[in-house]
Amino acid sequence: MQMPSEKIVASTDLYSMKSSTIRTPDAEARPVRVKAREVCVFYGPKQALFDVSIDIPEKAVTAFIGPSGCGKSTFLRCLNRMNDTIEGARVTGRIELDGDDVYDASLDVVELRARVGMVFQKPNPFPKSIYENIAYGPRIHGLAASKAEMDGIVESSLQKASLWDEVKDRLQEPGTGLSGGQQQRLCIARAIAVSPEVILMDEPCSALDPIATAKIEELIDELRENYTIAIVTHSMQQAARVSQRTAFFHLGNLVEEGPTDQIFTSPAEKRTQDYITGRFG
Amino acid sequence: MNTALVAALLLVLLGFAYQMGWSRSRSLVTGGSKLHSRPSYHGSLAAIWALLPALLILGLWALLGTTATRAYIIAQLPPEIASLTGADLAGAIARIRQIETGFGVLGETAPWENAAAQALREFRLLTYAVVLAAAAGTGALGLFMARRRITARLRARNEVEGVVRVLLIGCSVVAILTTVGIVASLLSEAIRFFTFVSPVDFFFGTVWNPRFSSVGSGSGDYGLLPLLWGTLMVATIAMIVALPIGLMTAIYLSQYAPPKVRSTVKPIVEVLAGIPTIVYGFFALVTVGPFLAAIGNTLGIDIRATSALTAGVVMGIMIIPFISSLSDDVIRQVPRAMRDGSLGLGATQSETIKRVILPAALPGIVGAFLLAVSRAIGETMIVVLAAGNSPYLRLNPGEPVSTVTVTIVNQLTGDTDFASPQSLVAFALGLTLFAMTLVLNVVALYIVRRYREQYE
Ligand SMILES: Nc1ncnc2c1ncn2[C@@H]1O[C@H](COP(=O)(O)OP(=O)(O)OP(=O)(O)O)[C@@H](O)[C@H]1O
Ligand SMILES: [Mg+2]
């Protein structure tokens, strides 16, 4: 394992913290879960994404980085077809989840979104109780046959999101009453509750303070054991800390993607190099 | 007084004062000092100081001018006319005024009348000139003082802000005082009514039969309950029609409709709100009433053409845009993140609406609903024409009813003697109506406000 060279400026000194987290050098060797080929996205007449092709491996964290407006969120939303809910958005190309075409007419988008969960930039708990927030998904998909079973799902989801200890005595209080970091973990728990295979996170920490951010990062690292995760982040250090693979987007193009170490230490493209050393973005 | 001329003069004064304040403060800048406020504020302040005294003088004249002129006319009249009273004196004065302006003079004019009119003409011209001169003079004085005050340190911005604030407070005070005045007059007349009829008989009486005032005051029954019952029945039917249709329209428009459809359908629905209620009234009378009666006939139910049902259904149609428009607004206020969060968990659109959007928007929708109810309760023309005006306690909505509003119309049209309970009861009814809608509005506002706090 190679440490970042001096090419990376001071702003990435947090990167060195990564040495403590476990690396999975075999991330590339893992089976591919999501496969995108020549994906283009248009918002009305305007093209936002140009021929993006990428493989997202199982049980690893893939980070999408790039300057604002480069299409990271747009690409993430393609993977669970949340772009369908945006007026005038059009997607071309092919996206496969376990070999099935996600945009195939025969695929049920409801089922897809149950398999590919999403956590948003701003915590968005429903204005319901903590319990109801978690129970929402399982109830819709009929995952619990009894109250006891539902209680079990709620507890295990909150535990996986390492929120259980903080909220176990106040499950009936509104989810909107939690702190920002707790709300975001609640949203992660909510996504986990429907047992997705893939979890998409769009800047999950951008509204949080460093301590809450550290908690979420720790959580992401734990979730990696069981889930396939794709995360959008503006923080180079965060990408370095939590991800095994990194993809760099610029102006709607996927410029480069590969193992995180490699992207950060010896990127093939000059634009990637400039971005991670803070020369633009 | 020639208002156009006065207005033009005031405008000139305003422009001149503004210009003066502006250029004076400008010259301070070129003189090397740093202004506290920008020149435009100095200009505005000078304009305010020039305009305020002028307006004050004109306002005073508008207030006192008529009385002064009247006093002058009386002074011109021969003593035997001037000593007349009431309508005779008023007639004489009006006649002098007519001769003076030359409009609407009937019959021959007497020499003393002509003389008085001539004097009045001169008096008018004189006062006109005096008032104008006084206004202009005080205006100029104000301007002069304001101009002298201009220094680099003068906090013109803060002073202008202060004047604006006072102006705004004044306007809201007018609105509040008007409301208070209306309520006070309602209250005092209603209290007069209750000297004839005891409140218990009024609020709990089950018979409404006020007879005619010519039969003698105090006779007749003034039971509110049949009217209240009619009002509630019509309003309930209206809400049963309007709530589902309005709400579904709102859900469709806010959640399903593509922007193009939305931008055409929404204005069309809102046109419904712009139709005068009298038009709804005869629509009910001519079309809906007979139609409902025919349906009743085929079903073997007795539905009268003018009935609570007819009025309620048509009122419901009238209220649809009210509910749909308000609900549409509150539904769209539910943050998109809520919707995305639910859709992202694999919920369908209708599940999302049912489980997340509607519960989140519910307080706002309830607020819209209550506002709509208070509208239904206060609605008049539709029920006047279509409810049948029959103030009896009846359970069957297919029968004619009467409502509080209709009864007010009835009691106040035709010959009215405002000392009799037959007319005064209108104020008691109005007060009841006012109290009902007030409570509904307060509750609605409270709920809407609570709801706002959730997201802001
Ligand atoms: N709903 C939309 N309608 C029209 N254009 C959009 C929409 N959403 C995004 N875009 C455009 O698509 C491009 C990519 O946007 P996207 O949100 O994917 O960027 P991003 O990389 O996530 O940026 P950020 O880091 O600021 O979140 C931008 O140019 C943006 O203006
Ligand atoms: Mg984004």
Side-chain angles (χ1 to χ4, degrees), chain B residues 329-336 338-339 356-357 360-361 451 455:
Chain B
D329 288 347
V330 291
I331 290 176
R332 288 165 67 80
Q333 268 179 33
V334 176
R336 199 191 153 84
M338 292 295 117
R339 204 180 117 190
V356 174
I357 295 180
Y451 158 76
Y455 293 114

Side-chain angles (χ1 to χ4, degrees), chain A residues 80 82 85-87 110 113-114 116-118 120 124-128 136 139-141 190-191 194, chain B residues 257-259 336-348 351-352 355-356 359-360 454-455:
Chain A
N80 70 344
M82 280 302 278
T85 67
I86 294 175
E87 214 61 62
V110 166
R113 291 188 189 142
V116 183
M118 190 157 199
F120 297 83
N124 59 345
F126 301 129
K128 302 171 183 284
Y136 183 85
R139 199 164 278 155
I140 278 176
H141 297 293
R190 186 174 75 182
V194 290
Chain B
R336 199 191 153 84
M338 292 295 117
R339 204 180 117 190
D340 286 351
S342 171
L343 292 174
L345 286 169
T348 64
E351 281 168 339
T352 301
R355 290 170 188 251
V356 174
Q454 266 187 3
Y455 293 114

Side-chain angles (χ1 to χ4, degrees), chain B residues 157-408:
Chain B
R157 177 170 15 101
N158 308 28
E159 288 186 24
V160 170
E161 286 299 317
V163 172
V164 168
R165 209 179 73 202
V166 169
L167 196 74
L168 296 180
I169 290 176
C171 289
S172 35
V173 165
V174 168
I176 291 170
L177 283 186
T178 316
T179 315
V180 170
I182 290 174
V183 174
S185 90
L186 262 185
L187 208 59
S188 68
E189 298 293 324
I191 287 171
R192 268 177 71 199
F193 168 74
F194 287 126
T195 58
F196 292 100
V197 178
S198 96
V200 175
D201 290 344
F202 176 70
F203 286 112
F204 300 104
T206 54
V207 179
W208 176 265
N209 184 14
R211 313 234 174 86
F212 293 104
S213 51
S214 51
V215 179
S217 53
S219 60
D221 302 296
Y222 296 90
L224 175 67
L225 290 181
L227 308 179
L228 210 55
W229 172 247
T231 299
L232 292 181
M233 188 147 75
V234 173
T236 308
I237 294 170
M239 295 322 291
I240 289 174
V241 172
L243 187 66
I245 298 180
L247 201 54
M248 307 270 184
T249 310
I251 291 174
Y252 172 72
L253 285 180
S254 61
Q255 302 294 317
Y256 288 90
K260 258 202 197 121
V261 174
R262 186 186 146 79
S263 60
T264 19
V265 172
K266 201 170 174 183
I268 291 176
V269 174
E270 277 165 4
V271 162
L272 281 178
I275 298 175
T277 54
I278 185 80
V279 175
Y280 279 107
F282 62 72
F283 171 61
L285 193 64
V286 175
T287 314
V288 178
F291 175 69
L292 288 177
I295 289 183
N297 227 341
T298 34
L299 296 179
I301 316 167
D302 187 24
I303 299 177
R304 303 277 294 274
T306 57
S307 64
L309 193 64
T310 310
V313 167
V314 175
M315 196 190 284
I317 296 171
M318 181 195 83
I319 288 174
I320 289 172
F322 201 71
I323 296 214
S324 73
S325 195
L326 282 174
S327 309
D328 181 50
D329 288 347
V330 291
I331 290 176
R332 288 165 67 80
Q333 268 179 33
V334 176
R336 199 191 153 84
M338 292 295 117
R339 204 180 117 190
D340 286 351
S342 171
L343 292 174
L345 286 169
T348 64
Q349 195 160 13
S350 62
E351 281 168 339
T352 301
I353 290 167
K354 200 173 70 193
R355 290 170 188 251
V356 174
I357 295 180
L358 285 187
L362 192 64
I365 293 172
V366 171
F369 174 78
L370 291 179
L371 287 177
V373 172
S374 80
R375 245 199 105 152
I377 288 176
E379 169 49 39
T380 310
M381 282 332 292
I382 293 175
V383 265
V384 165
L385 290 177
N389 187 21
S390 153
Y392 299 102
L393 272 175
R394 290 189 181 119
L395 278 178
N396 182 356
E399 297 268 350
V401 292
S402 186
T403 67
V404 176
T405 49
V406 171
T407 312
I408 293 178

Side-chain angles (χ1 to χ4, degrees), chain B residues 24-156:
Chain B
R24 172 103 182 99
S25 59
R26 252 341 259 247
S27 72
L28 288 178
V29 177
T30 43
S33 15
K34 181 158 170 20
L35 290 180
H36 168 268
S37 307
R38 295 209 327 275
S40 64
Y41 281 106
H42 286 282
S44 306
L45 190 62
I48 288 167
W49 280 121
L51 221 54
L52 220 63
L55 280 177
L56 208 67
I57 299 273
L58 291 174
L60 269 181
W61 178 247
L63 223 59
L64 305 175
T66 345
T67 333
T69 314
R70 191 186 137 95
Y72 182 79
I73 295 173
I74 293 175
Q76 299 308 306
L77 297 176
E80 70 274 13
I81 307 278
S83 59
L84 288 175
T85 48
D88 295 330
L89 181 65
I93 292 173
R95 197 168 153 77
I96 304 287
R97 286 184 195 276
Q98 284 165 354
I99 296 168
E100 189 247 315
T101 53
F103 289 115
V105 189
L106 294 175
E108 285 293 305
T109 54
W112 63 266
E113 284 179 331
N114 283 331
Q118 183 57 36
L120 180 61
R121 209 166 292 143
E122 280 156 16
F123 176 75
R124 250 189 218 286
L125 217 61
L126 187 70
T127 48
Y128 187 47
V130 167
V131 169
L132 221 54
T138 49
L141 195 69
L143 176 56
F144 176 69
M145 306 279 273
R147 189 172 180 279
R148 275 191 47 186
R149 285 184 65 218
I150 295 177
T151 61
R153 295 308 316 147
L154 178 67
R155 294 171 174 254

